[in-house]
Amino acid sequence: MNALSRKDTLFISLMLFSLFFGAGNLIFPPFLGQSAGSELWPAVTGFILSAVGLPILGVIAVAKSNGLQSLANRVHPVFAVVFTVMIYLAIGPFLGIPRAGSLAFEMGVQPFLPEGVNVKAALFGYTFCYFALAYWLALKPSKLVDRFGKVLTPVLLVLISLIFIRALSYPFEPAGQPAGNYVTKAFATGFTDGYATMDTIAALNFGIVIAMALKQKGMTSTKSIMSSSIRAGVIAGTLLAIIYLMLAYLGSVSHANAANGAITLTNIVFTLFGPFGAVLLGVVFTLACLTTSVGLLTSCSQYFEQLVPKVSYKVWVSTIAVFSLLVANLGLTMILKISVPVLTAIYPVAIMLIVLSLTNSLIKGKQGVYALSILFVGIVSVTDACLQSGLNLGAWGELVKTLPLYNTGFGWLVPAIAGAMGGYLLSLYNLKGKVVHSKQVKSYSK
């Protein structure tokens, strides 16, 4: 079988949407809308480009390259293993999975706790049950399409649509004034804020889940798997963009002054539905976070099983679920604080790897282009992450801050272009050297 029916394509697309749509996807767009105010449209355009466009390109890049490690191997075999492990750990047990579990508690359970209850004990009890359920669902990856694509995702989309439809008939005032960086650089700020969803690096992970789902549907042709993966990515991305527009719009007209997107969205839903809004929002957050956690548990476990075949998939699922449970109990605030510098270090490298993959035919797969551009980007992004963490890097840190576009979050862009050009010229020089050497050897042999 080398072609999917429209029905199966839709269900796999909905499954991919549910894997992407988790904690950050719910809380960041409303906060963006609140902060951007009247500058909503340039801000949300930048956000959608990074939070939707890049993940779709990530799915395409992984599909074309036959997996993340195969793609990263074009830089260097050692880099392929190290970077891929870092990606899976960051989006998995270190940040992505615990963040989803912790946020599901804060939005779905904590508002209903009576006064005097030990919140830490309640968090542990909830996350224990949460990850036990996620563990059980992840044990059967072959059933993800049926459980997510046919059941959980449609329910989630209906609930979010219900909130937006109710908002259309509510007399909100026009959007307020922009705040912070949205005043002068709304587009760039929206773009870099899209990093926080983690969907670009998640896309590099979910390629393995989509490929396995397609194979379970009977697809055997590599070309067909690639084209179906791309089609599913485009459909899932379109749904994400629509939801982001809805949530960002609600944030812009809410006139809230909340500290984060979770509070912004809570205020909106309470305004629209009253006390019932707490129940509705709790269900939405729980479904969104659970589906993402299961997808990440599945993709991480499948990868590490391939990396260390002696350890079974079930053992990996158990290990990652337990570790995620422990990290989730650090609390959402601590997890978010850690995630910002980590994403700053990883995201530009992931973006550059995707761009190189999509232009591979143009650069003719030259390893020098991959290696030098990724090296330059990595140096800048890791330096930026250290600076964001409060480390004093002295003269080197000040030098990096002088890079073009650094203040807009794109300080890595010029080094990336310079590295790619330098790598291309170096590859041509090496090729020329080999040709000259070959001619000399032939002349000596005569």
Side-chain angles (χ1 to χ4, degrees):
M1 176 182 173
N2 292 318
L4 278 183
S5 66
R6 290 183 178 179
K7 183 178 178 182
D8 283 337
T9 299
L10 175 62
F11 287 144
I12 287 179
S13 301
L14 290 176
M15 180 193 76
L16 181 58
F17 169 86
S18 68
L19 298 182
F20 278 130
F21 196 78
N25 310 77
L26 274 167
I27 64 175
F28 294 123
F31 192 65
L32 175 144
Q34 172 193 301
S35 303
S38 58
E39 292 294 316
L40 172 67
W41 295 114
V44 79
T45 300
F47 185 85
I48 287 175
L49 282 176
S50 65
V52 178
L54 289 176
I56 292 175
L57 294 178
V59 170
I60 295 172
V62 170
K64 288 181 65 176
S65 308
N66 195 30
L68 172 58
Q69 190 151 338
S70 175
L71 170 58
N73 201 53
R74 295 173 183 174
V75 179
H76 192 277
V78 174
F79 170 83
V81 175
V82 173
F83 181 72
T84 306
V85 169
M86 284 176 59
I87 286 286
Y88 276 100
L89 289 177
I91 197 67
F94 282 12
L95 292 175
I97 301 175
R99 184 180 76 174
S102 182
L103 183 60
F105 169 78
E106 290 205 9
M107 297 304 301
V109 175
Q110 193 168 342
F112 302 102
L113 294 177
E115 289 187 23
V117 171
N118 188 320
V119 176
K120 289 186 177 181
L123 173 62
F124 181 81
Y126 174 83
T127 51
F128 181 86
C129 297
Y130 176 94
F131 284 110
L133 177 59
Y135 164 80
W136 177 74
L137 290 170
L139 285 178
K140 300 287 184 181
S142 60
K143 294 185 178 181
L144 290 184
V145 174
D146 291 333
R147 288 170 174 167
F148 290 4
K150 296 180 181 180
V151 181
L152 295 180
T153 305
V155 171
L156 181 61
L157 290 173
V158 168
L159 292 177
I160 294 174
S161 299
L162 179 64
I163 294 172
F164 185 70
I165 291 170
R166 174 72 181 93
L168 292 178
S169 61
Y170 191 87
F172 283 115
E173 295 181 10
Q177 294 299 311
N181 289 332
Y182 287 100
V183 176
T184 56
K185 43 186 178 180
F187 175 84
T189 304
F191 188 94
T192 53
D193 280 354
Y195 292 0
T197 64
M198 297 191 186
D199 281 348
T200 298
I201 54 178
L204 301 178
N205 291 11
F206 291 150
I208 190 172
V209 179
I210 299 302
M212 290 194 69
L214 292 171
K215 289 175 182 177
Q216 286 159 2
K217 291 294 181 181
M219 299 194 76
T220 55
S221 166
T222 302
K223 185 177 180 181
S224 298
I225 290 175
M226 183 182 75
S227 61
S228 296
S229 297
I230 293 171
R231 195 175 300 114
V234 171
I235 295 173
T238 302
L239 282 173
L240 282 171
I242 293 171
I243 298 297
Y244 289 157
L245 286 169
M246 290 180 183
L247 294 174
Y249 168 76
L250 291 177
S252 70
V253 297
S254 67
H255 294 274
N257 189 25
N260 59 60
I263 300 174
T264 303
L265 190 57
T266 300
N267 291 339
I268 292 168
V269 176
F270 268 69
T271 300
L272 295 173
F273 296 96
F276 171 71
V279 179
L280 176 62
L281 198 59
V283 174
V284 169
F285 268 94
T286 300
L287 285 177
C289 294
L290 181 63
T291 53
T292 297
S293 294
V294 174
L296 292 171
L297 266 175
T298 301
S299 60
C300 290
S301 301
Q302 287 173 339
Y303 169 72
F304 285 115
E305 183 190 25
Q306 291 180 0
L307 189 66
V308 188
K310 291 183 179 180
V311 181
S312 69
Y313 172 80
K314 184 176 181 180
V315 171
W316 281 117
V317 173
S318 305
T319 303
I320 294 172
V322 171
F323 188 86
S324 299
L325 166 65
L326 297 176
V327 177
N329 278 269
L330 294 175
L332 182 61
T333 302
M334 179 60 71
I335 295 171
L336 292 176
K337 184 178 179 180
I338 296 170
S339 69
V340 173
V342 172
L343 294 176
T344 299
I346 293 176
Y347 240 85
V349 177
I351 293 172
M352 195 60 199
L353 203 56
I354 291 170
V355 171
L356 291 172
S357 170
L358 299 177
T359 58
N360 191 59
S361 58
L362 181 65
I363 61 178
K364 305 187 187 310
K366 296 183 184 300
Q367 188 181 28
V369 177
Y370 279 87
L372 213 55
S373 60
I374 291 296
L375 175 63
F376 286 7
V377 170
I379 290 173
V380 174
S381 64
V382 170
T383 300
D384 194 15
C386 292
L387 292 173
Q388 286 190 15
S389 300
L391 296 178
N392 184 359
L393 300 181
W396 173 250
E398 295 304 315
L399 177 64
V400 169
K401 288 181 181 179
T402 63
L403 287 169
L405 304 176
Y406 178 83
N407 290 330
T408 62
F410 299 101
W412 54 270
L413 187 58
V414 171
I417 296 171
M421 293 175 63
Y424 191 83
L425 293 173
L426 188 62
S427 298
L428 291 178
Y429 177 79
N430 289 339
L431 180 62
K432 182 179 179 181
K434 289 179 182 179
V435 171
V436 171
H437 177 71
S438 176
K439 289 181 178 178
Q440 289 175 344
V441 168
K442 287 182 180 179
S443 64
Y444 290 148
S445 64
K446 291 179 180 178

